[in-house]
Short mmCIF file of all heavy atoms in Angstrom, two decimals:
data_model
loop_
_atom_site.label_atom_id
_atom_site.label_comp_id
_atom_site.label_asym_id
_atom_site.label_seq_id
_atom_site.Cartn_x
_atom_site.Cartn_y
_atom_site.Cartn_z
N TYR K 1 -38.12 -68.12 31.29
CA TYR K 1 -36.96 -68.99 31.35
C TYR K 1 -37.22 -70.25 30.53
O TYR K 1 -38.28 -70.86 30.64
CB TYR K 1 -36.66 -69.34 32.80
CG TYR K 1 -35.51 -70.29 32.97
CD1 TYR K 1 -34.22 -69.86 32.74
CD2 TYR K 1 -35.72 -71.60 33.33
CE1 TYR K 1 -33.15 -70.74 32.88
CE2 TYR K 1 -34.67 -72.48 33.49
CZ TYR K 1 -33.38 -72.05 33.27
OH TYR K 1 -32.35 -72.90 33.40
N SER K 2 -36.26 -70.65 29.74
CA SER K 2 -36.36 -71.86 28.93
C SER K 2 -35.58 -72.98 29.59
O SER K 2 -34.35 -72.93 29.65
CB SER K 2 -35.82 -71.62 27.53
OG SER K 2 -35.76 -72.83 26.83
N ARG K 3 -36.29 -73.97 30.10
CA ARG K 3 -35.60 -75.13 30.69
C ARG K 3 -34.85 -75.92 29.63
O ARG K 3 -33.90 -76.63 29.93
CB ARG K 3 -36.62 -76.03 31.38
CG ARG K 3 -37.28 -75.43 32.57
CD ARG K 3 -38.23 -76.42 33.22
NE ARG K 3 -39.18 -76.98 32.27
CZ ARG K 3 -40.38 -76.49 32.01
NH1 ARG K 3 -40.79 -75.41 32.62
NH2 ARG K 3 -41.19 -77.07 31.15
N LEU K 4 -35.28 -75.78 28.38
CA LEU K 4 -34.65 -76.55 27.31
C LEU K 4 -33.28 -76.02 26.92
O LEU K 4 -32.45 -76.76 26.42
CB LEU K 4 -35.57 -76.55 26.09
CG LEU K 4 -36.98 -77.08 26.33
CD1 LEU K 4 -37.84 -76.89 25.08
CD2 LEU K 4 -36.93 -78.54 26.73
N SER K 5 -33.03 -74.72 27.14
CA SER K 5 -31.77 -74.15 26.69
C SER K 5 -31.06 -73.29 27.74
O SER K 5 -30.04 -72.68 27.44
CB SER K 5 -32.00 -73.31 25.43
OG SER K 5 -32.81 -72.20 25.74
N ASP K 6 -31.57 -73.22 28.96
CA ASP K 6 -31.01 -72.37 30.02
C ASP K 6 -30.88 -70.91 29.59
O ASP K 6 -29.92 -70.24 29.91
CB ASP K 6 -29.64 -72.88 30.48
CG ASP K 6 -29.76 -74.14 31.31
OD1 ASP K 6 -30.79 -74.31 32.01
OD2 ASP K 6 -28.84 -74.97 31.27
N GLN K 7 -31.86 -70.45 28.83
CA GLN K 7 -31.89 -69.06 28.39
C GLN K 7 -33.23 -68.44 28.80
O GLN K 7 -34.15 -69.15 29.18
CB GLN K 7 -31.70 -68.97 26.88
CG GLN K 7 -30.35 -69.54 26.45
CD GLN K 7 -30.14 -69.42 24.97
OE1 GLN K 7 -29.76 -68.37 24.48
NE2 GLN K 7 -30.41 -70.49 24.24
N PHE K 8 -33.33 -67.13 28.70
CA PHE K 8 -34.53 -66.42 29.08
C PHE K 8 -35.22 -65.84 27.86
O PHE K 8 -34.56 -65.26 26.98
CB PHE K 8 -34.20 -65.26 30.04
CG PHE K 8 -33.76 -65.72 31.39
CD1 PHE K 8 -32.42 -65.93 31.66
CD2 PHE K 8 -34.68 -65.93 32.39
CE1 PHE K 8 -32.00 -66.35 32.90
CE2 PHE K 8 -34.28 -66.35 33.65
CZ PHE K 8 -32.94 -66.56 33.90
N TRP K 9 -36.54 -65.96 27.81
CA TRP K 9 -37.35 -65.28 26.80
C TRP K 9 -37.73 -63.93 27.38
O TRP K 9 -38.21 -63.84 28.50
CB TRP K 9 -38.60 -66.09 26.48
CG TRP K 9 -38.26 -67.34 25.76
CD1 TRP K 9 -38.21 -68.60 26.28
CD2 TRP K 9 -37.90 -67.47 24.39
NE1 TRP K 9 -37.84 -69.50 25.32
CE2 TRP K 9 -37.65 -68.83 24.13
CE3 TRP K 9 -37.77 -66.55 23.34
CZ2 TRP K 9 -37.27 -69.30 22.89
CZ3 TRP K 9 -37.41 -67.03 22.10
CH2 TRP K 9 -37.16 -68.39 21.88
N LEU K 10 -37.50 -62.85 26.62
CA LEU K 10 -37.81 -61.51 27.08
C LEU K 10 -38.78 -60.84 26.11
O LEU K 10 -38.54 -60.82 24.91
CB LEU K 10 -36.53 -60.66 27.16
CG LEU K 10 -35.40 -61.19 28.01
CD1 LEU K 10 -34.16 -60.31 27.85
CD2 LEU K 10 -35.82 -61.27 29.46
N GLY K 11 -39.84 -60.28 26.65
CA GLY K 11 -40.78 -59.48 25.87
C GLY K 11 -40.73 -58.05 26.36
O GLY K 11 -40.63 -57.81 27.57
N THR K 12 -40.77 -57.10 25.46
CA THR K 12 -40.62 -55.70 25.84
C THR K 12 -41.94 -54.93 25.68
O THR K 12 -42.87 -55.39 25.01
CB THR K 12 -39.55 -54.99 24.99
OG1 THR K 12 -40.04 -54.84 23.64
CG2 THR K 12 -38.24 -55.77 24.98
N ILE K 13 -41.99 -53.74 26.27
CA ILE K 13 -43.17 -52.89 26.12
C ILE K 13 -43.28 -52.32 24.71
O ILE K 13 -44.33 -51.85 24.32
CB ILE K 13 -43.21 -51.76 27.17
CG1 ILE K 13 -41.99 -50.85 27.03
CG2 ILE K 13 -43.32 -52.31 28.57
CD1 ILE K 13 -42.04 -49.62 27.91
N LYS K 14 -42.20 -52.41 23.95
CA LYS K 14 -42.23 -51.96 22.55
C LYS K 14 -42.62 -53.08 21.60
O LYS K 14 -42.67 -52.88 20.40
CB LYS K 14 -40.87 -51.38 22.16
CG LYS K 14 -40.54 -50.10 22.89
CD LYS K 14 -39.26 -49.51 22.40
CE LYS K 14 -39.00 -48.19 23.10
NZ LYS K 14 -37.79 -47.54 22.59
N GLY K 15 -42.88 -54.28 22.13
CA GLY K 15 -43.36 -55.38 21.31
C GLY K 15 -42.31 -56.32 20.77
O GLY K 15 -42.60 -57.17 19.94
N ASP K 16 -41.09 -56.19 21.24
CA ASP K 16 -40.02 -57.06 20.77
C ASP K 16 -39.95 -58.34 21.59
O ASP K 16 -40.20 -58.33 22.80
CB ASP K 16 -38.67 -56.35 20.85
CG ASP K 16 -38.58 -55.18 19.91
OD1 ASP K 16 -38.67 -55.41 18.69
OD2 ASP K 16 -38.44 -54.03 20.37
N LEU K 17 -39.56 -59.43 20.95
CA LEU K 17 -39.32 -60.70 21.62
C LEU K 17 -37.86 -61.06 21.41
O LEU K 17 -37.36 -61.06 20.27
CB LEU K 17 -40.22 -61.80 21.05
CG LEU K 17 -40.04 -63.19 21.65
CD1 LEU K 17 -40.48 -63.21 23.11
CD2 LEU K 17 -40.81 -64.22 20.84
N TYR K 18 -37.16 -61.35 22.51
CA TYR K 18 -35.74 -61.70 22.48
C TYR K 18 -35.51 -63.02 23.21
O TYR K 18 -36.27 -63.39 24.11
CB TYR K 18 -34.89 -60.65 23.22
CG TYR K 18 -34.82 -59.31 22.57
CD1 TYR K 18 -35.70 -58.29 22.95
CD2 TYR K 18 -33.87 -59.02 21.60
CE1 TYR K 18 -35.63 -57.03 22.38
CE2 TYR K 18 -33.79 -57.77 21.03
CZ TYR K 18 -34.67 -56.79 21.42
OH TYR K 18 -34.60 -55.55 20.86
N LEU K 19 -34.42 -63.69 22.84
CA LEU K 19 -33.91 -64.81 23.60
C LEU K 19 -32.57 -64.37 24.17
O LEU K 19 -31.67 -63.96 23.43
CB LEU K 19 -33.73 -66.04 22.69
CG LEU K 19 -33.23 -67.31 23.37
CD1 LEU K 19 -34.18 -67.75 24.48
CD2 LEU K 19 -33.06 -68.42 22.35
N PHE K 20 -32.45 -64.40 25.51
CA PHE K 20 -31.26 -63.89 26.20
C PHE K 20 -30.50 -65.03 26.85
O PHE K 20 -31.07 -65.86 27.56
CB PHE K 20 -31.68 -62.87 27.26
CG PHE K 20 -30.55 -62.37 28.10
CD1 PHE K 20 -29.60 -61.52 27.56
CD2 PHE K 20 -30.43 -62.74 29.42
CE1 PHE K 20 -28.55 -61.05 28.32
CE2 PHE K 20 -29.39 -62.29 30.20
CZ PHE K 20 -28.44 -61.44 29.65
N ASN K 21 -29.19 -65.07 26.60
CA ASN K 21 -28.31 -66.07 27.20
C ASN K 21 -27.57 -65.41 28.37
O ASN K 21 -26.73 -64.54 28.16
CB ASN K 21 -27.31 -66.59 26.17
CG ASN K 21 -26.45 -67.69 26.71
OD1 ASN K 21 -26.01 -67.67 27.85
ND2 ASN K 21 -26.18 -68.68 25.87
N PRO K 22 -27.87 -65.80 29.62
CA PRO K 22 -27.23 -65.15 30.77
C PRO K 22 -25.76 -65.51 30.94
O PRO K 22 -25.04 -64.82 31.66
CB PRO K 22 -28.05 -65.66 31.96
CG PRO K 22 -28.60 -66.95 31.52
CD PRO K 22 -28.83 -66.82 30.02
N PHE K 23 -25.30 -66.55 30.28
CA PHE K 23 -23.89 -66.95 30.41
C PHE K 23 -22.99 -66.15 29.48
O PHE K 23 -21.87 -65.80 29.84
CB PHE K 23 -23.74 -68.45 30.13
CG PHE K 23 -24.60 -69.29 31.03
CD1 PHE K 23 -25.73 -69.92 30.55
CD2 PHE K 23 -24.30 -69.42 32.38
CE1 PHE K 23 -26.53 -70.68 31.37
CE2 PHE K 23 -25.10 -70.18 33.22
CZ PHE K 23 -26.22 -70.80 32.72
N THR K 24 -23.48 -65.86 28.28
CA THR K 24 -22.68 -65.09 27.32
C THR K 24 -23.12 -63.62 27.24
O THR K 24 -22.44 -62.82 26.62
CB THR K 24 -22.80 -65.69 25.91
OG1 THR K 24 -24.17 -65.59 25.48
CG2 THR K 24 -22.36 -67.14 25.89
N LEU K 25 -24.27 -63.30 27.84
CA LEU K 25 -24.89 -61.98 27.81
C LEU K 25 -25.34 -61.57 26.41
O LEU K 25 -25.58 -60.39 26.15
CB LEU K 25 -23.96 -60.91 28.40
CG LEU K 25 -23.52 -61.15 29.85
CD1 LEU K 25 -22.62 -60.03 30.33
CD2 LEU K 25 -24.73 -61.31 30.77
N ASN K 26 -25.45 -62.54 25.52
CA ASN K 26 -25.95 -62.27 24.17
C ASN K 26 -27.47 -62.31 24.16
O ASN K 26 -28.08 -63.12 24.85
CB ASN K 26 -25.41 -63.29 23.17
CG ASN K 26 -23.95 -63.13 22.90
OD1 ASN K 26 -23.41 -62.04 22.98
ND2 ASN K 26 -23.29 -64.23 22.59
N LYS K 27 -28.06 -61.42 23.36
CA LYS K 27 -29.50 -61.49 23.15
C LYS K 27 -29.77 -61.57 21.66
O LYS K 27 -29.11 -60.92 20.86
CB LYS K 27 -30.24 -60.33 23.80
CG LYS K 27 -29.99 -58.99 23.19
CD LYS K 27 -30.82 -57.93 23.90
CE LYS K 27 -30.54 -56.58 23.30
NZ LYS K 27 -31.30 -55.52 23.94
N LYS K 28 -30.74 -62.41 21.32
CA LYS K 28 -31.11 -62.62 19.92
C LYS K 28 -32.51 -62.07 19.72
O LYS K 28 -33.46 -62.51 20.37
CB LYS K 28 -31.07 -64.11 19.60
CG LYS K 28 -31.51 -64.45 18.19
CD LYS K 28 -31.52 -65.95 17.96
CE LYS K 28 -32.04 -66.27 16.56
NZ LYS K 28 -32.15 -67.70 16.35
N TRP K 29 -32.65 -61.14 18.79
CA TRP K 29 -33.96 -60.59 18.46
C TRP K 29 -34.72 -61.62 17.64
O TRP K 29 -34.19 -62.18 16.69
CB TRP K 29 -33.81 -59.29 17.69
CG TRP K 29 -35.10 -58.65 17.34
CD1 TRP K 29 -35.86 -57.84 18.14
CD2 TRP K 29 -35.81 -58.73 16.10
NE1 TRP K 29 -36.99 -57.42 17.49
CE2 TRP K 29 -36.99 -57.97 16.23
CE3 TRP K 29 -35.58 -59.38 14.90
CZ2 TRP K 29 -37.91 -57.84 15.20
CZ3 TRP K 29 -36.51 -59.26 13.89
CH2 TRP K 29 -37.65 -58.49 14.04
N ILE K 30 -35.99 -61.87 18.02
CA ILE K 30 -36.80 -62.87 17.34
C ILE K 30 -37.82 -62.22 16.42
O ILE K 30 -37.89 -62.52 15.24
CB ILE K 30 -37.51 -63.78 18.36
CG1 ILE K 30 -36.51 -64.44 19.32
CG2 ILE K 30 -38.37 -64.82 17.65
CD1 ILE K 30 -35.49 -65.33 18.66
N THR K 31 -38.65 -61.31 16.96
CA THR K 31 -39.71 -60.69 16.18
C THR K 31 -40.26 -59.47 16.92
O THR K 31 -39.85 -59.19 18.04
CB THR K 31 -40.85 -61.69 15.90
OG1 THR K 31 -41.72 -61.16 14.91
CG2 THR K 31 -41.64 -62.03 17.14
N LYS K 32 -41.18 -58.79 16.28
CA LYS K 32 -41.84 -57.62 16.88
C LYS K 32 -43.33 -57.71 16.58
O LYS K 32 -43.73 -58.05 15.47
CB LYS K 32 -41.27 -56.33 16.31
CG LYS K 32 -41.86 -55.08 16.95
CD LYS K 32 -41.16 -53.84 16.39
CE LYS K 32 -41.66 -52.59 17.06
NZ LYS K 32 -41.15 -52.42 18.42
N ILE K 33 -44.16 -57.42 17.62
CA ILE K 33 -45.60 -57.32 17.43
C ILE K 33 -46.00 -55.85 17.61
O ILE K 33 -45.18 -55.03 18.03
CB ILE K 33 -46.38 -58.24 18.40
CG1 ILE K 33 -46.11 -57.88 19.86
CG2 ILE K 33 -46.05 -59.69 18.12
CD1 ILE K 33 -46.95 -58.67 20.85
N ASN K 34 -47.23 -55.52 17.30
CA ASN K 34 -47.66 -54.12 17.30
C ASN K 34 -48.09 -53.58 18.65
O ASN K 34 -48.78 -52.58 18.72
CB ASN K 34 -48.82 -53.94 16.31
CG ASN K 34 -48.35 -54.08 14.87
OD1 ASN K 34 -47.22 -53.75 14.55
ND2 ASN K 34 -49.21 -54.59 14.03
N ASN K 35 -47.69 -54.23 19.72
CA ASN K 35 -48.02 -53.77 21.06
C ASN K 35 -47.05 -54.43 22.03
O ASN K 35 -46.24 -55.27 21.63
CB ASN K 35 -49.47 -54.13 21.39
CG ASN K 35 -50.11 -53.19 22.38
OD1 ASN K 35 -49.44 -52.68 23.27
ND2 ASN K 35 -51.39 -52.96 22.23
N SER K 36 -47.14 -54.07 23.30
CA SER K 36 -46.24 -54.67 24.28
C SER K 36 -46.51 -56.16 24.44
O SER K 36 -47.64 -56.62 24.28
CB SER K 36 -46.38 -53.96 25.62
OG SER K 36 -47.68 -54.12 26.12
N VAL K 37 -45.46 -56.89 24.74
CA VAL K 37 -45.58 -58.32 25.01
C VAL K 37 -45.94 -58.48 26.48
O VAL K 37 -45.14 -58.14 27.35
CB VAL K 37 -44.28 -59.08 24.67
CG1 VAL K 37 -44.39 -60.55 25.07
CG2 VAL K 37 -43.94 -58.95 23.19
N ASN K 38 -47.14 -58.96 26.75
CA ASN K 38 -47.62 -59.09 28.13
C ASN K 38 -47.60 -60.53 28.63
O ASN K 38 -47.73 -60.76 29.82
CB ASN K 38 -49.05 -58.57 28.25
CG ASN K 38 -49.16 -57.10 27.94
OD1 ASN K 38 -48.19 -56.36 28.07
ND2 ASN K 38 -50.32 -56.67 27.53
N LEU K 39 -47.49 -61.48 27.73
CA LEU K 39 -47.59 -62.88 28.10
C LEU K 39 -46.54 -63.68 27.35
O LEU K 39 -46.35 -63.51 26.14
CB LEU K 39 -48.99 -63.41 27.72
CG LEU K 39 -49.21 -64.90 27.72
CD1 LEU K 39 -49.28 -65.41 29.15
CD2 LEU K 39 -50.48 -65.24 26.99
N LEU K 40 -45.83 -64.54 28.06
CA LEU K 40 -44.84 -65.45 27.47
C LEU K 40 -44.97 -66.80 28.13
O LEU K 40 -45.06 -66.90 29.35
CB LEU K 40 -43.42 -64.96 27.74
CG LEU K 40 -42.83 -63.92 26.83
CD1 LEU K 40 -41.54 -63.39 27.43
CD2 LEU K 40 -42.56 -64.50 25.47
N TYR K 41 -44.97 -67.86 27.32
CA TYR K 41 -45.03 -69.21 27.85
C TYR K 41 -44.36 -70.16 26.87
O TYR K 41 -44.63 -70.11 25.68
CB TYR K 41 -46.50 -69.64 28.05
CG TYR K 41 -46.65 -71.06 28.47
CD1 TYR K 41 -46.35 -71.46 29.77
CD2 TYR K 41 -47.07 -72.03 27.57
CE1 TYR K 41 -46.48 -72.78 30.16
CE2 TYR K 41 -47.20 -73.36 27.95
CZ TYR K 41 -46.90 -73.73 29.24
OH TYR K 41 -47.02 -75.02 29.62
N GLN K 42 -43.48 -71.01 27.37
CA GLN K 42 -42.88 -72.04 26.52
C GLN K 42 -43.46 -73.38 26.92
O GLN K 42 -43.36 -73.81 28.08
CB GLN K 42 -41.36 -72.06 26.67
CG GLN K 42 -40.72 -73.02 25.68
CD GLN K 42 -39.22 -72.91 25.64
OE1 GLN K 42 -38.58 -72.55 26.61
NE2 GLN K 42 -38.65 -73.23 24.49
N ASP K 43 -44.09 -74.06 25.96
CA ASP K 43 -44.75 -75.34 26.25
C ASP K 43 -43.75 -76.50 26.23
O ASP K 43 -42.55 -76.31 25.98
CB ASP K 43 -45.95 -75.58 25.33
CG ASP K 43 -45.58 -75.79 23.87
OD1 ASP K 43 -44.42 -76.13 23.56
OD2 ASP K 43 -46.48 -75.63 23.01
N SER K 44 -44.23 -77.69 26.51
CA SER K 44 -43.36 -78.86 26.60
C SER K 44 -42.77 -79.28 25.26
O SER K 44 -41.82 -80.07 25.21
CB SER K 44 -44.13 -80.04 27.20
OG SER K 44 -45.25 -80.36 26.40
N PHE K 45 -43.30 -78.75 24.15
CA PHE K 45 -42.75 -79.02 22.82
C PHE K 45 -41.68 -78.02 22.43
O PHE K 45 -41.09 -78.11 21.37
CB PHE K 45 -43.86 -79.01 21.77
CG PHE K 45 -44.91 -80.05 22.00
CD1 PHE K 45 -46.14 -79.70 22.51
CD2 PHE K 45 -44.66 -81.39 21.71
CE1 PHE K 45 -47.10 -80.66 22.73
CE2 PHE K 45 -45.62 -82.36 21.94
CZ PHE K 45 -46.85 -81.99 22.46
N GLY K 46 -41.45 -77.00 23.27
CA GLY K 46 -40.47 -75.96 22.99
C GLY K 46 -41.03 -74.76 22.26
O GLY K 46 -40.30 -73.82 21.97
N LEU K 47 -42.34 -74.78 21.94
CA LEU K 47 -42.96 -73.64 21.27
C LEU K 47 -43.15 -72.50 22.26
O LEU K 47 -43.50 -72.72 23.42
CB LEU K 47 -44.32 -74.04 20.70
CG LEU K 47 -44.32 -75.16 19.67
CD1 LEU K 47 -45.74 -75.54 19.30
CD2 LEU K 47 -43.53 -74.77 18.44
N VAL K 48 -42.90 -71.27 21.80
CA VAL K 48 -43.04 -70.10 22.65
C VAL K 48 -44.30 -69.36 22.26
O VAL K 48 -44.44 -68.90 21.12
CB VAL K 48 -41.81 -69.17 22.52
CG1 VAL K 48 -41.96 -67.95 23.41
CG2 VAL K 48 -40.54 -69.92 22.86
N TRP K 49 -45.23 -69.26 23.20
CA TRP K 49 -46.51 -68.58 22.99
C TRP K 49 -46.41 -67.22 23.65
O TRP K 49 -45.95 -67.10 24.78
CB TRP K 49 -47.63 -69.39 23.62
CG TRP K 49 -47.79 -70.74 23.00
CD1 TRP K 49 -47.14 -71.89 23.36
CD2 TRP K 49 -48.62 -71.07 21.90
NE1 TRP K 49 -47.53 -72.92 22.54
CE2 TRP K 49 -48.45 -72.45 21.63
CE3 TRP K 49 -49.52 -70.34 21.11
CZ2 TRP K 49 -49.12 -73.11 20.62
CZ3 TRP K 49 -50.20 -71.01 20.10
CH2 TRP K 49 -50.00 -72.36 19.86
N PHE K 50 -46.84 -66.19 22.92
CA PHE K 50 -46.77 -64.84 23.48
C PHE K 50 -47.85 -63.97 22.87
O PHE K 50 -48.42 -64.29 21.84
CB PHE K 50 -45.38 -64.22 23.29
CG PHE K 50 -44.97 -64.08 21.84
CD1 PHE K 50 -45.04 -62.84 21.23
CD2 PHE K 50 -44.50 -65.15 21.12
CE1 PHE K 50 -44.65 -62.68 19.89
CE2 PHE K 50 -44.11 -65.01 19.79
CZ PHE K 50 -44.19 -63.78 19.19
N GLY K 51 -48.13 -62.88 23.55
CA GLY K 51 -49.15 -61.97 23.05
C GLY K 51 -49.16 -60.69 23.85
O GLY K 51 -48.44 -60.53 24.83
N GLY K 52 -50.00 -59.79 23.39
CA GLY K 52 -50.12 -58.50 24.04
C GLY K 52 -51.55 -58.00 23.97
O GLY K 52 -52.41 -58.62 23.36
N THR K 53 -51.76 -56.88 24.58
CA THR K 53 -53.08 -56.26 24.58
C THR K 53 -53.48 -55.90 23.15
O THR K 53 -52.73 -55.24 22.45
CB THR K 53 -53.08 -54.99 25.45
OG1 THR K 53 -52.58 -55.34 26.73
CG2 THR K 53 -54.46 -54.41 25.58
N LYS K 54 -54.61 -56.37 22.73
CA LYS K 54 -55.18 -56.07 21.41
C LYS K 54 -54.36 -56.61 20.24
O LYS K 54 -54.51 -56.16 19.12
CB LYS K 54 -55.42 -54.58 21.24
CG LYS K 54 -56.35 -53.98 22.25
CD LYS K 54 -56.49 -52.50 22.03
CE LYS K 54 -57.34 -51.88 23.13
NZ LYS K 54 -57.44 -50.45 23.02
N THR K 55 -53.46 -57.54 20.48
CA THR K 55 -52.64 -58.06 19.38
C THR K 55 -52.96 -59.50 19.02
O THR K 55 -52.58 -59.96 17.96
CB THR K 55 -51.14 -58.00 19.70
OG1 THR K 55 -50.89 -58.79 20.86
CG2 THR K 55 -50.68 -56.59 19.91
N GLY K 56 -53.61 -60.21 19.89
CA GLY K 56 -53.87 -61.61 19.63
C GLY K 56 -52.78 -62.50 20.20
O GLY K 56 -51.97 -62.09 21.01
N LEU K 57 -52.75 -63.73 19.72
CA LEU K 57 -51.83 -64.73 20.21
C LEU K 57 -50.84 -65.10 19.11
O LEU K 57 -51.22 -65.26 17.95
CB LEU K 57 -52.62 -65.98 20.65
CG LEU K 57 -51.83 -67.14 21.22
CD1 LEU K 57 -51.17 -66.75 22.54
CD2 LEU K 57 -52.75 -68.33 21.43
N PHE K 58 -49.58 -65.26 19.49
CA PHE K 58 -48.52 -65.62 18.56
C PHE K 58 -47.81 -66.87 19.07
O PHE K 58 -47.75 -67.11 20.27
CB PHE K 58 -47.48 -64.49 18.44
CG PHE K 58 -48.03 -63.22 17.87
CD1 PHE K 58 -48.71 -62.33 18.68
CD2 PHE K 58 -47.87 -62.93 16.53
CE1 PHE K 58 -49.21 -61.15 18.16
CE2 PHE K 58 -48.37 -61.76 15.99
CZ PHE K 58 -49.04 -60.86 16.81
N CYS K 59 -47.26 -67.63 18.14
CA CYS K 59 -46.49 -68.81 18.50
C CYS K 59 -45.19 -68.79 17.70
O CYS K 59 -45.19 -68.67 16.48
CB CYS K 59 -47.29 -70.08 18.18
SG CYS K 59 -46.41 -71.58 18.63
N TYR K 60 -44.08 -68.93 18.41
CA TYR K 60 -42.76 -68.97 17.78
C TYR K 60 -42.21 -70.39 17.93
O TYR K 60 -42.15 -70.94 19.03
CB TYR K 60 -41.81 -67.97 18.44
CG TYR K 60 -40.39 -68.10 17.98
CD1 TYR K 60 -40.03 -67.83 16.66
CD2 TYR K 60 -39.38 -68.50 18.84
CE1 TYR K 60 -38.72 -67.95 16.23
CE2 TYR K 60 -38.07 -68.63 18.43
CZ TYR K 60 -37.75 -68.36 17.12
OH TYR K 60 -36.45 -68.48 16.69
N ASP K 61 -41.79 -70.97 16.81
CA ASP K 61 -41.16 -72.28 16.81
C ASP K 61 -39.66 -72.10 16.64
O ASP K 61 -39.18 -71.77 15.55
CB ASP K 61 -41.72 -73.14 15.67
CG ASP K 61 -41.20 -74.56 15.68
OD1 ASP K 61 -40.17 -74.82 16.34
OD2 ASP K 61 -41.82 -75.41 15.03
N PRO K 62 -38.88 -72.26 17.72
CA PRO K 62 -37.43 -72.05 17.63
C PRO K 62 -36.72 -73.03 16.70
O PRO K 62 -35.63 -72.74 16.21
CB PRO K 62 -36.94 -72.26 19.06
CG PRO K 62 -38.13 -72.28 19.92
CD PRO K 62 -39.30 -72.60 19.06
N ASN K 63 -37.33 -74.20 16.44
CA ASN K 63 -36.69 -75.18 15.57
C ASN K 63 -36.65 -74.75 14.11
O ASN K 63 -35.73 -75.09 13.39
CB ASN K 63 -37.40 -76.53 15.68
CG ASN K 63 -37.24 -77.13 17.06
OD1 ASN K 63 -36.16 -77.10 17.63
ND2 ASN K 63 -38.32 -77.64 17.61
N CYS K 64 -37.66 -74.00 13.68
CA CYS K 64 -37.68 -73.56 12.27
C CYS K 64 -37.69 -72.04 12.14
O CYS K 64 -37.64 -71.53 11.03
CB CYS K 64 -38.86 -74.18 11.53
SG CYS K 64 -40.45 -73.78 12.21
N GLY K 65 -37.75 -71.31 13.25
CA GLY K 65 -37.68 -69.85 13.20
C GLY K 65 -38.92 -69.16 12.69
O GLY K 65 -38.85 -68.02 12.24
N ILE K 66 -40.07 -69.83 12.76
CA ILE K 66 -41.32 -69.27 12.22
C ILE K 66 -42.21 -68.76 13.34
O ILE K 66 -42.39 -69.42 14.36
CB ILE K 66 -42.08 -70.32 11.39
CG1 ILE K 66 -41.26 -70.68 10.15
CG2 ILE K 66 -43.46 -69.83 11.01
CD1 ILE K 66 -41.86 -71.79 9.33
N VAL K 67 -42.75 -67.55 13.13
CA VAL K 67 -43.74 -66.97 14.04
C VAL K 67 -45.09 -67.03 13.35
O VAL K 67 -45.24 -66.59 12.21
CB VAL K 67 -43.40 -65.51 14.38
CG1 VAL K 67 -44.50 -64.90 15.25
CG2 VAL K 67 -42.06 -65.41 15.07
N LYS K 68 -46.09 -67.59 14.04
CA LYS K 68 -47.43 -67.68 13.50
C LYS K 68 -48.38 -66.88 14.38
O LYS K 68 -48.29 -66.95 15.60
CB LYS K 68 -47.89 -69.13 13.43
CG LYS K 68 -49.24 -69.30 12.78
CD LYS K 68 -49.59 -70.76 12.56
CE LYS K 68 -50.93 -70.86 11.87
NZ LYS K 68 -51.32 -72.24 11.64
N GLU K 69 -49.27 -66.11 13.75
CA GLU K 69 -50.25 -65.30 14.47
C GLU K 69 -51.61 -65.99 14.42
O GLU K 69 -52.03 -66.46 13.38
CB GLU K 69 -50.35 -63.91 13.86
CG GLU K 69 -51.34 -63.02 14.56
CD GLU K 69 -51.41 -61.63 13.97
OE1 GLU K 69 -50.80 -61.38 12.90
OE2 GLU K 69 -52.07 -60.77 14.56
N TYR K 70 -52.28 -66.03 15.57
CA TYR K 70 -53.62 -66.60 15.66
C TYR K 70 -54.60 -65.48 15.95
O TYR K 70 -54.43 -64.74 16.92
CB TYR K 70 -53.69 -67.65 16.78
CG TYR K 70 -52.85 -68.86 16.48
CD1 TYR K 70 -51.51 -68.92 16.86
CD2 TYR K 70 -53.39 -69.94 15.81
CE1 TYR K 70 -50.73 -70.03 16.57
CE2 TYR K 70 -52.61 -71.06 15.53
CZ TYR K 70 -51.29 -71.08 15.91
OH TYR K 70 -50.53 -72.18 15.63
N LYS K 71 -55.59 -65.35 15.10
CA LYS K 71 -56.60 -64.30 15.25
C LYS K 71 -57.96 -64.95 15.46
O LYS K 71 -58.22 -66.03 14.95
CB LYS K 71 -56.67 -63.42 14.02
CG LYS K 71 -55.41 -62.63 13.76
CD LYS K 71 -55.59 -61.75 12.55
CE LYS K 71 -54.32 -60.96 12.28
NZ LYS K 71 -54.47 -60.05 11.15
N SER K 72 -58.81 -64.24 16.19
CA SER K 72 -60.16 -64.77 16.38
C SER K 72 -61.13 -64.13 15.42
O SER K 72 -60.87 -63.17 14.77
CB SER K 72 -60.64 -64.52 17.82
OG SER K 72 -60.65 -63.14 18.08
#
């Protein structure tokens, strides 16, 4: 859930990340990773952090629409 926009972040077992608006029932596709999305967190800056098994960590910035991957 995004407190900043009253919308929900959804991650799927197919690796898709969506932003869902429960008032309009619209969903916006954001990106796809190579595994299921197991973790979602939106920080106080509005950045959405997500990841999956064996995929690493990703960060989505809704202000500029960029997804960045962090690898170890």
Side-chain angles (χ1 to χ4, degrees):
Y1 177 72
S2 172
R3 294 182 308 268
L4 303 174
S5 65
D6 287 329
Q7 299 181 81
F8 290 91
W9 291 102
L10 304 174
T12 70
I13 60 173
K14 293 184 177 183
D16 294 298
L17 179 67
Y18 292 95
L19 182 59
F20 175 71
N21 184 321
F23 303 107
T24 63
L25 302 180
N26 289 330
K27 67 178 179 180
K28 177 183 177 184
W29 181 83
I30 304 299
T31 193
K32 183 176 183 74
I33 61 175
N34 290 329
N35 208 326
S36 62
V37 175
N38 297 336
L39 166 74
L40 276 169
Y41 174 75
Q42 186 171 28
D43 67 19
S44 60
F45 299 104
L47 300 174
V48 180
W49 297 88
F50 61 102
T53 306
K54 301 179 185 176
T55 60
L57 181 65
F58 296 82
C59 181
Y60 172 65
D61 185 342
N63 294 317
C64 60
I66 294 175
V67 176
K68 184 173 182 180
E69 180 178 9
Y70 293 89
K71 296 182 180 182
S72 60

